[in-house]
């Protein structure tokens, strides 16, 4: 034995291969880790799937209200989406995704409509068919006499509505002498919306021919108009099949009609 070994009194330490029991412990630990990882992954996927199913489930009643809100404003702010979510009992993310998908669908439909439509605007609004006024009176809930203002386009700021067919009543503009106001009636997603402009708030009216047979009538007002949405009438918790007007806030996109005080109507120059 060497002198160095005698001075320490200890045998030299050697690092060798793990013992069989150590190898078994490592294998069992790795298997446990893999099993736990797979279980965690399954749980995570299951949670995501449940969240997706929960997020995509919109009830028919919620859908009706969502379509009404979309007709009023296609791009509500985060605060407005939060209000809608609270009113309808939906998650904010769920509401946000619904509006994103609905805008994409509307953009696609608008593109198809423009492709199919004649690029040349009509020289005159379509003829009013027999029984049109009677049907319209019921639709717009007006008991007083009105005077239809034939037009096919309404613009307030960058917000614009275009009439497609008279039978659909997309856009109806008229004057009510008894209540002394102009009315812009719009139908969207099966519901009516209207704007009332009192005669007394109109400070100036101009007219110009924009092209042969086509005219632009502009109304400059001194204050924001009044806004209404169609409300369902219920009795004992059941829908009666009747509707009425309910005063509301500005439902135009970006609430433009509250600060843009010029309203433009486009139609036949002779009729306007």
């Amino acid at each position: 034995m060497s002198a160095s070994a005698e001075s320490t009194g200890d045998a030299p330490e050697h690092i060798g291969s793990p013992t069989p029991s150590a190898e078994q412990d490592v294998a069992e630990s790795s298997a446990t880790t893999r099993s736990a990882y797979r279980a965690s992954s399954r749980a995570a996927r299951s949670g995501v799937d449940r969240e997706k199913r929960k997020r995509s489930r919109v009830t028919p009643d919620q859908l009706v209200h969502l379509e009404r809100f979309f007709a009023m404003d296609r791009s509500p702010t985060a605060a407005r989406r939060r209000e809608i979510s609270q009113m309808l009992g939906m998650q904010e993310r769920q509401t946000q995704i619904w509006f994103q998908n609905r805008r994409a669908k509307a953009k696609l439909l608008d593109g198809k409509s423009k492709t199919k439509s004649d690029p040349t605007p009509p020289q005159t609004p379509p003829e009013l068919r027999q029984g049109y006024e009677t049907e319209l009176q019921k639709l717009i809930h007006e008991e007083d006499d009105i005077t239809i203002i034939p037009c096919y386009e309404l613009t307030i700021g960058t917000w614009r509505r275009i009439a497609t067919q008279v039978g659909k009543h997309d856009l109806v503009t008229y004057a009510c002498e008894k209540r002394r106001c102009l009315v812009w009636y719009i139908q969207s997603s099966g519901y009516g919306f209207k704007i009332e402009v009192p005669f007394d708030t109109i400070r100036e009216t101009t007219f110009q021919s924009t092209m042969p047979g086509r005219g632009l009538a502009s109304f400059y007002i001194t204050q924001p108009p009044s806004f209404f949405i169609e409300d369902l009438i219920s009795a004992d918790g059941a829908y009666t099949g009747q509707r009425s007007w309910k005063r509301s806030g500005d439902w135009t996109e970006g609430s433009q009609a509250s600060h843009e005080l010029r309203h433009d109507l486009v139609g036949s120059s002779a009729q306007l």
Side-chain angles (χ1 to χ4, degrees):
M1 182 176 293
S2 64
S4 60
E6 290 178 349
S7 62
T8 59
D10 295 325
E13 183 179 350
H14 298 281
I15 300 176
S17 300
T19 63
S21 60
E23 291 180 346
Q24 184 177 359
D25 291 342
V26 171
E28 289 178 353
S29 176
S30 299
T32 302
T33 302
R34 287 195 298 270
S35 177
Y37 176 77
R38 285 196 296 269
S40 176
S41 299
R42 285 196 299 270
R45 287 196 298 270
S46 177
V48 170
D49 291 341
R50 283 196 302 272
E51 178 64 21
K52 287 182 177 179
R53 288 195 297 271
K54 184 177 181 181
R55 187 171 60 225
S56 62
R57 191 178 299 119
V58 176
T59 68
D61 185 59
Q62 288 173 333
L63 183 60
V64 169
H65 290 289
L66 285 169
E67 287 289 352
R68 291 183 69 179
F69 288 124
F70 182 79
M72 290 185 274
D73 188 355
R74 293 191 173 191
S75 301
T77 62
R80 180 57 174 160
R81 288 197 307 269
R82 191 176 303 114
E83 292 177 0
I84 293 173
S85 300
Q86 292 174 351
M87 283 188 287
L88 301 184
M90 298 172 59
Q91 296 179 4
E92 291 183 35
R93 178 62 176 166
Q94 183 183 12
T95 304
Q96 180 183 16
I97 291 176
W98 186 91
F99 272 94
Q100 290 175 348
N101 294 338
R102 187 63 179 85
R103 282 195 298 270
K105 179 181 177 181
K107 185 176 181 180
L108 180 63
L109 294 176
D110 291 343
K112 289 182 179 180
S113 177
K114 290 179 181 179
T115 302
K116 294 179 180 179
S117 63
D118 187 347
T120 303
Q123 296 301 311
T124 60
E127 293 294 328
L128 301 183
R129 68 178 184 276
Q130 185 177 6
Y132 171 81
E133 291 190 3
T134 302
E135 177 185 338
L136 182 60
Q137 293 275 120
K138 295 180 181 179
L139 188 69
I140 62 179
H141 317 301
E142 284 284 2
E143 297 180 355
D144 302 320
D145 292 335
I146 62 173
T147 302
I148 298 293
I149 306 174
C151 76
Y152 41 76
E153 184 177 317
L154 165 67
T155 301
I156 304 174
T158 60
W159 181 78
R160 184 172 67 162
R161 299 296 298 191
I162 300 176
T164 53
Q165 298 177 6
V166 170
K168 290 186 177 180
H169 309 297
D170 305 86
L171 171 64
V172 180
T173 57
Y174 61 91
C176 180
E177 291 289 343
K178 186 174 182 179
R179 291 190 291 110
R180 293 185 53 76
C181 65
L182 295 176
V183 179
W184 319 141
Y185 171 84
I186 293 160
Q187 190 179 57
S188 179
S189 302
Y191 288 90
F193 304 83
K194 75 171 179 176
I195 296 174
E196 288 191 356
V197 181
F199 289 165
D200 295 341
T201 66
I202 302 174
R203 65 176 177 80
E204 183 182 0
T205 302
T206 63
F207 176 81
Q208 58 180 316
S209 294
T210 56
M211 62 177 61
R214 183 177 182 178
L216 168 67
S218 299
F219 300 87
Y220 298 85
I221 59 180
T222 58
Q223 64 186 46
S226 299
F227 304 91
F228 300 83
I229 59 174
E230 206 170 27
D231 191 35
L232 306 181
I233 300 178
S234 301
D236 298 327
Y239 175 47
T240 63
Q242 297 179 325
R243 302 183 181 189
S244 63
W245 289 116
K246 178 181 179 181
R247 193 76 174 262
S248 70
D250 187 348
W251 39 258
T252 61
E253 188 171 4
S255 301
Q256 293 189 62
S258 292
H259 51 82
E260 294 288 346
L261 302 182
R262 170 179 169 174
H263 296 197
D264 292 334
L265 297 183
V266 176
S268 163
S269 57
Q271 292 175 315
L272 281 179

